[in-house]
Amino acid sequence: MDFSDGFVSKEHRELHRSASESADPLSASPLPVSARSPKSPKSSKSPKSPKSPKIQGKHGKGSPLKHDRHSHSAVDGRPKKGGSGGKGTWGGLLDTDDNYTADPNDPNFNSSEECENSDARKERVDFEEYKKKATIIVEEYFATDDITSTANELGELDRPTYSYYFVKKLVSKAMDRHDKEKEMAAVLLSALYADYIDPPQVYKGFCKLVESADDFIVDIPDTVDVLALFIARAVVDDILPPAFLKKQMNYLPKDSKGIEVLKRAEKGYLAAPLHAEIIERRWGGSKKMTVEDVKAKINDLLREYVVSGDKTEACRCIKDLKVPFFHHEIVKRALVMAMERRQAEGQLLNLLKEAAEEGLINSSQVSKGFGRMIDYVDDLSLDIPNARGILRSLISKAASEGWLCASSLKSLSLQPEKRSLEDSVARVFKTKAQSIIQEYFLSGDISEVISCVQSENNTCSSELNAIFVKRLITLAMDRKNREKEMASVLLPSLCFPADDVVNGFVMLIESADDTALDNPVVVEDLAMFLARSVVDEVLAPQNLEEIGSQCLAPESIGSKVLKMAKSLLKARLSGERILRCWGGGGRIGWAIEDVKDKIGKLLEEFESGGDVREACRCMKELGMPFFNHEVVKKALVTIMEKKNERLWILLEECFGSGLITTNQMAKGFGRVAESLDDLALDVPDAQKQFTHYIERAKNAGWLDSSFCFSKSGHSTENGTG
C-alpha cells in the first residue's frame, strides 16, 4: 500500500509494515485500494499482484477453489453476520437466530446477561404451560362443579405469581356461558380467595379483565353488563376493594369499554338500594338458599356453639354460609339469644368479638346488627323485661372491647317513647291478630276473620285496625303467592276506614328498611299490595299522596314503593294485571270479553225477574271490582233503551252495600256520556234521559255534585275514566 500521499503518519507506517511482515499470506484478507490514491502504483499485497495468486477472487483465474466449493478450513465459512454487512455495520435489523448460544470464550461474553436471558426463556415456557393447565382446570370445574378438587389442582400447579391469569380465564370463560356457570365462577373465586389465590393476584386479574374489555366485546356483545356484574359481585363478596373502581378509571383511556364497565358496576349495581342481595341473587344465588334457610342455619350454629363452646367450628360454619352481606342477622340473633339466656351472654359476645377481630364479620355488619336490635328492642321488651337496660350493657361491653363503634348507633334511652295506645293492649292484640291471620291462611274463612277482629277490637280502635293491616301484609309478604292473594282478598272485606288502612301502610313503609333485610323484594311486594288496594278501592288514588307526604326522603324505600305503585297503576290494563299478579283466585285466563258477556247475562237474568241478592252474589263471584263500571254502563244503557227501571233497583242495592263504589259509579256514567252520540241513533231522547238519571244519581249520593258532561260527550271531575 502506498502512503506517499501524506495522509498517514510515520508511526502508522511502521505499524502497518510490522503487521504485513508477520501476516499469513493465505489467511489474510485483501486490503482495499485507497480511494484517495487511484494513480498510485500497485501494492505488493494487492489482490492482482502476481506474488499473491492464491487469494484472488472466488472465481478468478487460476484459483484452486474454482472447482471445489467446499471449505477445507475448520472455521465456519458462512458469510459474516449472515451477509448483512461487514466491519463497521449493524447487520440485519430483523435478524434473529434461535439456535444461537453465547460462547463463554468470547471476550464479550457476559455471564449475568446470559443467565437473565435463560431465566426469561424458562419463565416464558412455564407461563405457557400454566395457561394450558389453567384452561383445563376451568373447563373441568364447569363440568363437575367440584370446588375442592379445583382448589387442589390449582394448588398443585404451585405458581402463585400466575394466579391472576387463572382469575382472568375463569371469568372470561364464564362470561360467554349461562347464568349457572357465571354463578359457579363467582362462588369459586370467593372460595379460593386468600387461601389459594392471594388478594393482589385477584386484583391484578380483574385489572386484566377490564383492560381486555374492548377485545371481549367482539365475541361477547353484552360484555359491559356481564363484566360489570362480576366486578360488583367481587366487591359484595369482599374479594375486591371498592377503591378498585376509581383507581382503574384513572389508568384506562376515556373512550375504552373498560370505563363503561366500571361506570356500570358503580352506578348500575353498587349504587342501587339493597344492591348486595340483588347482586348475590342475579345469577341464581349461592346454592339457591332462601332467606329462611339462612336464618335456620344461623340459629342452628348459635345453638350448637352455646352447647359446645367451639369458636373455631362456629367461625367455620359462619364462613361456610357464604352470605357476608347477611352477617348482621348473625349479630342480631346472637344478641337476642344473649338477652334470653343470660348465662350464655359472655360466650356469645366472645364469639362475636372473635368473628369481628378476625374480619369474618366486618364492622359495618356488626353496627347494622346492633342497629336492628335498637329498632327491635321495644317489641322484645314485651317478652324480656328490662330489654333496653340489657341491650345498653351489651353495647357498652362491645364498645369497651373495641369491636363495636358505638358512635355509629342510634341513641338508646332507658325509657321507651310514650305511645297513645297501652303496650299491654297492643301486645295482646298483636298476638291474637297473628293467630287469626295464620288460621285464615289455613282455612280461607273470611267471615270468621271478620267476626274475630270485631270481637278483639270491640272499641273499633283505629290504631288496632292499622296494626292488623300491617300484621296481615307483613305475614303475607313472607309467604307464597297464595297467601298474598288471600291477604288482598281479605283487606276489602274487612271494611276498615280508609284512614286506618293508610296508617297501616304508613307503618309498613316506616319499617320497610328492617323488612328489607329479611325480604330483598320488599319494594316490589309493598308496591303491589298498595296498587292492589287502589284497584280493589280499599284506598282512593289521593290516599297515595297522603302516604307520600309522610315519606319525604326522595331516596327512601317509602318513596320507591310509591313510585312503583303509581307506575303499576298507570300501565295499560293495569287493573286486570294487578288483580292477577298473585293468581287472581280463579279468575286466571278470563278475557275482558268473557267478563262483559257474564255481566250481560247477569243483568238479563235479573231484569227478567231475578233476585237482587242473587245478582249481587254473582257480581261478587266475578271478583273484578275494578270492572264494576261495566255493570253501571250496561245497566244505564238497558234502562234508557227499554225504559225499564228495574235495573235501577239493582244499582241502588249495589251502591248501598258498597259493592259498587262512587269511583266505579262515576266511571260508568262517564263511559255512557262518551257513547251518548252513538246511543242517540237508537234512542232519540237519550241525552234527555241521561241528564235525568245524572240528577237522580246525584240526589242519591252516587255521584259528586260537580259531575257533569258536555254535549260532546266528555265527562269531567268524577267522570274521568
Side-chain angles (χ1 to χ4, degrees), residues 55 68 85 91 101 203 211 286 304 333 400 403 410 441 444 446-447 470 480 491 519 562 604-605 672 682:
I55 55 170
D68 186 4
T101 55
Y203 191 99
E211 291 168 2
S286 301
E304 289 177 9
R333 289 180 179 266
S400 64
W403 53 277
K410 300 177 185 176
F441 286 155
I446 294 177
S447 59
K470 178 188 175 185
K480 296 181 179 179
L491 205 53
N519 180 8
L562 284 171
E604 287 176 10
E605 186 176 339
V672 174
D682 300 319

Side-chain angles (χ1 to χ4, degrees), residues 615-627:
C616 290
R617 187 189 65 78
C618 291
M619 285 180 61
K620 278 187 177 181
E621 286 183 353
L622 286 176
M624 300 182 76
F626 64 89
F627 205 58

Side-chain angles (χ1 to χ4, degrees), residues 62-128:
S63 171
L65 305 177
K66 181 176 181 181
H67 303 291
D68 186 4
R69 296 180 182 270
H70 299 282
S71 173
H72 298 279
S73 171
V75 180
D76 188 356
R78 291 182 297 173
K80 188 176 182 181
K81 297 190 178 182
S84 297
K87 183 177 180 181
T89 68
W90 288 359
L93 293 178
L94 301 178
D95 287 352
T96 58
D97 189 354
D98 294 337
N99 297 322
Y100 169 77
T101 55
D103 184 2
N105 298 320
D106 191 330
N108 295 320
F109 177 75
N110 187 331
S111 59
S112 61
E113 182 180 343
E114 177 61 21
C115 184
E116 289 175 5
N117 292 337
S118 176
D119 290 344
R121 284 195 297 274
K122 184 176 183 299
E123 186 176 350
R124 283 197 300 271
V125 172
D126 286 349
F127 185 52
E128 291 299 322

Side-chain angles (χ1 to χ4, degrees), residues 602-603 606 612 615-616 646-654:
L602 181 154
L603 295 177
F606 175 76
V612 174
C616 290
R646 180 169 170 75
L647 287 174
W648 190 266
I649 298 171
L650 176 62
L651 293 179
E652 282 180 332
E653 179 65 24
C654 290

Side-chain angles (χ1 to χ4, degrees), residues 34-52:
S34 173
R36 294 183 180 272
S37 55
K39 295 180 182 180
S40 62
K42 295 177 182 178
S43 170
S44 62
K45 301 295 180 181
S46 171
K48 293 185 179 181
S49 172
K51 294 183 181 180
S52 54

